[in-house]
Amino acid sequence: MIDNKNALNDLNRKPTDPAADELDGRDGAYDALVKVRGRKSARFHIITSDGEIIGCGYAYLLGWKYTPSETLTVFTTTHQFIMTGTGMEEIERAFLREVVYELREYNGKTDRLRPGYDGPIIQKLTIRSAFDKPPKNDDRKAE
């Protein structure tokens, strides 16, 4: 068996450090939208106020519907995300440019806003999944 750590030492090389990204160095304050810096992203994730994370690829993004001024609905091949809050037009423009990296629902108990924060706030996030079973009283037939 080859020991890669010793092999790097023998070659006088150091293991590479992972590159810093948009989520490193955050100060813990609430950000509804984190954009990718300097490039487009292949994927993004959405975080609920409970801390659940759903990852999405732009290749699976079907589209979105922005209803001024409070609601943005995002459709992917597997999920529907309905976001209600302020500043949804900024999130919609970020989707258009494919620079959304992270969207986060606001949790009034644990999140804090920076003084003077004027960015978007996702006050409510509803998620529907293609994997969810319909309620038993639903008229749709299970296939």
Side-chain angles (χ1 to χ4, degrees):
M1 181 189 293
I2 297 174
D3 182 0
N4 289 335
K5 190 183 278 185
N6 287 333
L8 288 174
N9 287 337
D10 292 343
L11 295 171
N12 294 322
R13 294 184 186 165
K14 294 190 298 186
T16 59
D17 292 326
D21 68 12
E22 288 73 10
L23 301 179
D24 291 335
R26 294 178 61 177
D27 62 2
Y30 173 78
D31 285 310
L33 169 65
V34 176
K35 294 181 184 178
V36 176
R37 291 180 289 216
R39 58 177 165 52
K40 291 183 177 183
S41 177
R43 58 193 158 271
F44 60 94
H45 63 263
I46 296 177
I47 304 173
T48 69
S49 62
D50 296 329
E52 295 176 356
I53 301 172
I54 298 174
C56 305
Y58 273 102
Y60 303 101
L61 176 65
L62 299 175
W64 59 87
K65 178 181 179 183
Y66 172 52
T67 308
S69 67
E70 297 183 344
T71 305
L72 177 65
T73 304
V74 177
F75 304 94
T76 69
T77 55
T78 58
H79 290 84
Q80 179 181 21
F81 303 95
I82 304 167
M83 295 171 272
T84 306
T86 60
M88 296 297 107
E89 66 278 355
E90 182 178 344
I91 297 173
E92 191 272 337
R93 285 192 309 271
F95 269 116
L96 186 62
R97 293 178 179 91
E98 295 183 3
V99 295
V100 173
Y101 193 64
E102 175 183 284
L103 296 174
R104 181 181 296 267
E105 181 182 22
Y106 183 73
N107 183 332
K109 295 178 184 173
T110 59
D111 292 332
R112 63 179 173 79
L113 296 177
R114 273 185 227 90
Y117 178 78
D118 63 351
I121 299 175
I122 302 171
Q123 297 166 339
K124 182 176 181 190
L125 173 63
T126 303
I127 302 171
R128 296 183 182 146
S129 171
F131 304 115
D132 293 339
K133 293 182 181 178
K136 290 187 180 203
N137 62 353
D138 195 338
D139 291 336
R140 292 184 283 176
K141 303 271 190 228
E143 295 180 21

